[in-house]
Amino acid sequence: MEEKYSNRRFDIHSADDIDEEVLETIDYQYPASETEVEIIYPEFTSVCPWTGLPDFGVLTVKYVPSGKLVELKALKYYLNSFRNV
């Protein structure tokens, strides 16, 4: 049964395909505050390197900004570039 699926894979890319250029930041107006930013990304998908099948997960990013905030749309594009890596 295993042989039947051996050639059915999604493409696996190298870490060079992670799109760091898409990341953008915006100025944080309250750099002296200790405000914690939490971004919950419920749509994270990746390709399993062993089976080639898609996996799904929820990613939570928490950080305390000092001078910049990560722009949300840019973060989503960045995370999507991990899908096949």
Side-chain angles (χ1 to χ4, degrees), residues 20 23 26 41 60-61 66 68 78 81 84:
E20 296 175 11
L23 275 177
I26 56 176
Y41 186 65
T60 302
V61 177
S66 57
K68 300 280 185 183
Y78 176 70
S81 76
N84 288 26

Side-chain angles (χ1 to χ4, degrees), residues 18-59:
I18 297 169
D19 191 1
E20 296 175 11
E21 297 294 320
V22 75
L23 275 177
E24 294 180 32
T25 60
I26 56 176
D27 290 333
Y28 181 52
Q29 296 179 6
Y30 310 100
S33 73
E34 290 293 316
T35 302
E36 183 179 77
V37 175
E38 179 177 279
I39 300 168
I40 300 172
Y41 186 65
E43 304 155 344
F44 185 76
T45 61
S46 64
V47 173
C48 175
W50 292 284
T51 65
L53 294 171
D55 287 327
F56 305 90
V58 176
L59 250 146

